[in-house]
Amino acid sequence: MGQPLPLLNMATLLRIYRQCTRRLILFGLDGTLIQQEKVIAHLKNFQDFQGHTLAPPPAALHCLRALCADPLNVVFVISGRSAADMEACLGNVDGLGLAAELGFVQRRPGDSQWTQQRQLTAAQANWHELAKPVLDRFTTRTNGAYLRWQESAALWCYQNADPDFGRFQAHQLTLALRERLRGAGICVSNSMAKGQVEVRVAGVNKGAIADEILRTTERLAPVDFVLCVGDDDDDEYMLSAVTARSVCADMCERLRHRLFTVTVGNKACSHANFVVQNSRDVLGILETLRTAAS
């Protein structure tokens, strides 16, 4: 905290990557593999990714295919998008693992079916019915706001609303939802940076799924290289969980100097140990590793 992170050294990354025989690679999607400016513009144009998917650039997809073709690699993309949208933009990359809705559902490398990672409690099972009247009321009263529904979450988006009124309504909606969903095992948060109020099943985050992926991969064969790259607050859970798991007694020595947690863009505070400036640099990481794979 408060200290500038060192830039990721591509030559060091490549050298250590080539030395290792069991590699886990985790990426975020929006803002990481895809430029955040393009994500925001896409949302303003289409409001919902569903039916109008925004995919990573062709060069990134080409590199992902090369990495996934290497039998020494386990590669996952973890996103807050729906399973249908991730299938549309990344489903044709053979061998790529996908985790949607921050990990609520996932499709493991080589699988064709999506699986739900956790069972909802009785209190959580009817959260849609509890939240919908409140969300609909605020959507009707806020010009420019719209809803995006998922299995484990609902996003009330106000990027296109009047800035002052949108922020005011978001604050009031957050209070109303927290009162309505008290004791239901549901988290409600308001991100002014993203311009959305998020209603989500408690305990669903990128950290939980990243930890599960690392533990599952480790059970099959010892992991001796981890690369984890993300850009926003949701990705910080992923970076933190991977770091915490890597210092366990059975992994600590093996992953010493072989753990690369990378945040995209400078931040005042991050769980990463390296930084790159933007998603173009993330593409540089992919191209660097592809040269080793080829």
Side-chain angles (χ1 to χ4, degrees):
M1 181 180 296
Q3 299 297 318
L5 288 171
L7 287 171
L8 178 65
N9 186 299
M10 296 292 186
T12 300
L13 176 70
L14 181 60
R15 175 175 56 80
I16 295 177
Y17 177 89
R18 283 173 166 159
Q19 294 171 355
C20 299
T21 58
R22 177 68 167 168
R23 314 180 190 107
L24 176 63
I25 302 171
L26 306 175
F27 288 106
L29 181 56
D30 298 320
T32 302
L33 293 176
I34 305 173
Q35 292 180 28
Q36 189 62 38
E37 295 81 6
K38 291 186 177 180
V39 174
I40 294 172
H42 188 85
L43 281 173
K44 285 185 176 180
N45 287 332
F46 298 107
Q47 295 193 347
D48 197 328
F49 284 110
Q50 192 68 37
H52 300 279
T53 190
L54 178 66
L61 295 174
H62 176 66
C63 293
L64 285 172
R65 290 188 181 95
L67 293 180
C68 293
D70 188 333
L72 304 182
N73 293 338
V74 177
V75 187
F76 265 85
V77 175
I78 305 175
S79 174
R81 295 201 206 176
S82 68
D85 190 82
M86 291 195 72
E87 188 73 49
C89 70
L90 290 166
N92 61 352
V93 180
D94 292 339
L96 178 63
L98 301 175
E101 297 189 28
L102 303 186
F104 184 72
V105 289
Q106 73 161 282
R107 195 196 72 180
R108 296 200 61 82
D111 290 351
S112 59
Q113 299 296 319
W114 288 81
T115 58
Q116 186 172 307
Q117 289 307 107
R118 55 176 292 181
Q119 296 299 315
L120 300 182
T121 65
Q124 291 170 330
N126 66 341
W127 76 270
H128 274 226
E129 288 73 17
L130 292 172
K132 190 175 187 303
V134 181
L135 289 164
D136 286 345
R137 184 169 71 251
F138 275 83
T139 303
T140 301
R141 295 177 179 178
T142 311
N143 188 34
Y146 62 94
L147 272 169
R148 295 166 59 199
W149 286 98
Q150 297 178 346
E151 290 184 55
S152 64
L155 305 177
W156 189 79
C157 306
Y158 58 96
Q159 308 100 328
N160 297 337
D162 174 82
D164 292 333
F165 186 63
R167 286 192 292 269
F168 173 79
Q169 288 291 79
H171 176 69
Q172 297 300 313
L173 173 60
T174 301
L175 296 177
L177 285 170
R178 285 175 178 169
E179 178 64 27
R180 175 72 167 169
L181 297 170
R182 182 177 297 171
I186 302 297
C187 294
V188 183
S189 61
N190 175 20
S191 172
M192 287 188 287
K194 293 182 178 179
Q196 65 185 30
V197 175
E198 183 177 282
V199 190
R200 186 173 296 279
V201 173
V204 175
N205 59 69
K206 289 188 178 183
I209 189 62
D211 184 67
E212 189 274 335
I213 292 170
L214 179 52
R215 287 187 291 108
T216 301
T217 306
E218 173 78 8
R219 280 199 298 268
L220 295 175
V223 175
D224 59 359
F225 175 93
V226 176
L227 169 66
C228 184
V229 187
D231 75 293
D232 63 9
D233 290 343
D234 287 330
D235 293 310
E236 287 295 327
Y237 288 99
M238 176 174 69
L239 298 168
S240 174
V242 168
T243 301
R245 179 63 59 181
S246 70
V247 298
C248 292
D250 55 342
M251 291 190 200
C252 183
E253 194 60 36
R254 195 182 334 122
L255 288 177
R256 189 183 301 276
H257 307 305
R258 294 180 173 186
L259 170 67
F260 296 85
T261 53
V262 184
T263 188
V264 182
N266 291 307
K267 299 174 178 64
C269 180
S270 177
H271 293 283
N273 55 11
F274 298 102
V275 64
V276 294
Q277 295 304 317
N278 49 51
S279 60
R280 288 183 290 275
D281 291 336
V282 177
L283 179 57
I285 294 174
L286 285 166
E287 290 176 334
T288 296
L289 300 185
R290 183 187 62 80
T291 61
S294 60

